[in-house]
Each structure stands twice: as C-alpha cells, then as structure tokens.
Amino acid sequence: MAAGAAQGLGEGGGGRGFLGPRVPAEVEAMARGVQDVGKETFRRLLKVTVNALEGKDCRESVRLIAESANLSEEQLAFLISGMYTLLREALRLPLSTFKQEVFKEDLKELRIPDDFIVDFSSVVFGNRRPPSEGTALVQRSRLPSIQDFKWRVDVAISTSSLARALQPSILMMMKLSDGTAHRFEVPVAKFQELRYNVALILKEMNDLEKRSILKIQD
C-alpha cells in the first residue's frame, strides 16, 4: 500500500502532519475557541469558510452569524481565519497520498471536538470538498514565471575604469509570463556565487529526497 509524504509526517510523530512541525498560530487559536461553539454555529462558520476558499463574498454571511451567535468580531475573526488556514493546507495535498485517518488524528491532537472533526473531514475528503479543490488556492496571487531566458558572455575591451578592461561579464535577458522583459549584467564573481548556491540547493534537495520519511513505500 502506497504511503506518501503527508501520511509519513502524520504517523511518524515528527510533526503535526499536513500542518507541519509548527502549527500556525491562527489554527491553534481556532482550536481553542471552537470548543465553546455550538454545532449549528460551527457548521455555519464552516460553510462560510468553504465559500471563502471558493472565492465567494462572505461578508453578509459573517454579519448574520455575528448577529445571531454570541460571538464578538474578534472571536469570529480567530475562528474563520483558523478554519480557513486549516482547510487551505489540507486541500493542497493530493487525496492519493493524504489519508483521512491521518487528518483526523492531527485534529485530535489539537483537541478539536469529534463532531467538528467529522465536519472538517467531509470538506476535505467527502462530497463537500470544493469542486476546484479550493478556487482561492488556484487563483491566489502569483509572481510572473520565466517564459524565455537568453544569455551571452561579453568582454569589455575598454571602459572608463582601466582596471575593468578585458574583464568578461554575463549578459542575461529574461522574458516573463506577464509580457515584460528584463536585461541585466552579471559579473563573473557573482555568476560563480549563483552557480555555487544553485548547486548547494540541488544537493540539499537530493539529501532531503533520500530521507525515508519522504519516500513512497510499497
């Protein structure tokens, strides 16, 4: 049976599964506050959170909850923010490797009531899962990506500074997905520093992949 990285983290005891070794502060605050919330109010908050993940405007729904439930604006902010972060992190993981049992155990460690764990699970693993696996996750802000990259080595025969004469440099040009182009010059020393750091990152990634906790096991 295949067991991916998310499952390994959840069962290995080295961290809280999908939330990583350090639980976000808003999730911890939500886990404490949700224990004093009734089931009906919790489910209304959960529905609002799912709608927010799908990119819908939830201000009116939050206002109605604030009027009917005995919760301050600060309490509502803590609860919705924590629920949003928890579901966002869970929905980012593929169902092929992220197991429901692991998810439930992680929430139990946070002392979230069992009834609420069932409702959270129905969003992540059941028919209440957002159809696009969270539109807000897909439409989140992104930096432009590199579409084209060109470079050449240039040697300055004479410059205003004689000390730099006949010194090579690397000219680079990047085209980005937003249509902009950037051209810049990199001294050889800086290029060597870049090359070293890239090689170091690749080595660290290779070392990380060798750790058994991240391996897919049969």
Side-chain angles (χ1 to χ4, degrees), residues 6 19 27 44 51 76 80 90 121 130 134-135 145 170 187 190 212-213:
L19 291 171
V27 175
R44 292 175 68 188
N51 287 340
L76 280 174
I80 294 174
S121 296
T135 306
S145 58
I170 296 94
K190 284 294 181 184
S212 59
I213 195 171

Side-chain angles (χ1 to χ4, degrees), residues 25-112:
E26 63 269 27
V27 175
E28 288 188 329
M30 180 274 296
R32 290 192 299 268
V34 82
Q35 297 179 28
D36 300 324
V37 173
K39 183 182 291 187
E40 181 182 351
T41 300
F42 171 81
R43 288 183 171 174
R44 292 175 68 188
L45 290 170
L46 185 62
K47 183 177 180 180
V48 165
T49 305
V50 172
N51 287 340
L53 284 166
E54 293 176 340
K56 299 176 182 177
D57 188 346
C58 304
R59 286 174 293 183
E60 180 64 18
S61 299
V62 172
R63 185 185 67 80
L64 292 174
I65 295 174
E67 290 178 354
S68 60
N70 188 23
L71 294 170
S72 66
E73 290 186 4
E74 185 179 10
Q75 286 175 308
L76 280 174
F78 277 129
L79 291 169
I80 294 174
S81 175
M83 293 166 74
Y84 185 96
T85 300
L86 187 150
L87 289 175
R88 181 191 64 195
E89 295 304 314
L91 289 168
R92 282 177 172 171
L93 299 172
L95 292 176
S96 58
T97 57
F98 189 36
K99 304 305 178 184
Q100 187 170 357
E101 296 78 11
V102 174
F103 177 73
K104 289 182 176 180
E105 284 299 321
D106 291 337
L107 299 195
K108 283 182 180 179
E109 287 187 23
L110 291 169
R111 298 184 179 178
I112 292 176

Side-chain angles (χ1 to χ4, degrees), residues 4-212:
Q7 184 178 7
L9 284 171
E11 295 176 346
R16 277 198 172 93
F18 70 99
L19 291 171
R22 188 170 185 178
V23 178
E26 63 269 27
V27 175
E28 288 188 329
M30 180 274 296
R32 290 192 299 268
V34 82
Q35 297 179 28
D36 300 324
V37 173
K39 183 182 291 187
E40 181 182 351
T41 300
F42 171 81
R43 288 183 171 174
R44 292 175 68 188
L45 290 170
L46 185 62
K47 183 177 180 180
V48 165
T49 305
V50 172
N51 287 340
L53 284 166
E54 293 176 340
K56 299 176 182 177
D57 188 346
C58 304
R59 286 174 293 183
E60 180 64 18
S61 299
V62 172
R63 185 185 67 80
L64 292 174
I65 295 174
E67 290 178 354
S68 60
N70 188 23
L71 294 170
S72 66
E73 290 186 4
E74 185 179 10
Q75 286 175 308
L76 280 174
F78 277 129
L79 291 169
I80 294 174
S81 175
M83 293 166 74
Y84 185 96
T85 300
L86 187 150
L87 289 175
R88 181 191 64 195
E89 295 304 314
L91 289 168
R92 282 177 172 171
L93 299 172
L95 292 176
S96 58
T97 57
F98 189 36
K99 304 305 178 184
Q100 187 170 357
E101 296 78 11
V102 174
F103 177 73
K104 289 182 176 180
E105 284 299 321
D106 291 337
L107 299 195
K108 283 182 180 179
E109 287 187 23
L110 291 169
R111 298 184 179 178
I112 292 176
D114 290 342
D115 288 347
F116 298 168
I117 292 176
V118 171
D119 289 335
F120 274 126
S121 296
S122 70
V123 173
V124 179
F125 299 96
N127 54 11
R128 296 172 67 185
R129 186 179 180 93
S132 61
E133 295 190 3
T135 306
L137 304 182
V138 178
Q139 296 180 346
R140 65 186 182 275
S141 298
R142 296 172 180 263
L143 293 175
S145 58
I146 298 175
Q147 287 195 328
D148 189 29
F149 183 84
K150 296 179 180 178
W151 64 276
R152 77 167 191 262
V153 177
D154 194 21
V155 179
I157 297 176
S158 62
T159 66
S160 58
S161 174
L162 293 178
R164 293 188 59 196
L166 299 178
Q167 291 294 318
S169 62
I170 296 94
L171 294 177
M172 299 183 178
M173 187 179 74
M174 293 190 303
K175 274 189 177 180
L176 304 182
S177 57
D178 62 359
T180 60
H182 300 272
R183 183 177 178 179
F184 51 93
E185 179 181 346
V186 180
V188 172
K190 284 294 181 184
F191 178 77
Q192 295 287 14
E193 183 180 338
L194 173 65
R195 186 177 64 85
Y196 170 79
N197 287 329
V198 169
L200 183 62
I201 290 172
L202 290 174
K203 179 182 180 300
E204 290 179 350
M205 290 173 63
N206 186 54
D207 292 342
L208 187 61
E209 288 176 353
K210 290 179 181 178
R211 295 185 181 179
S212 59

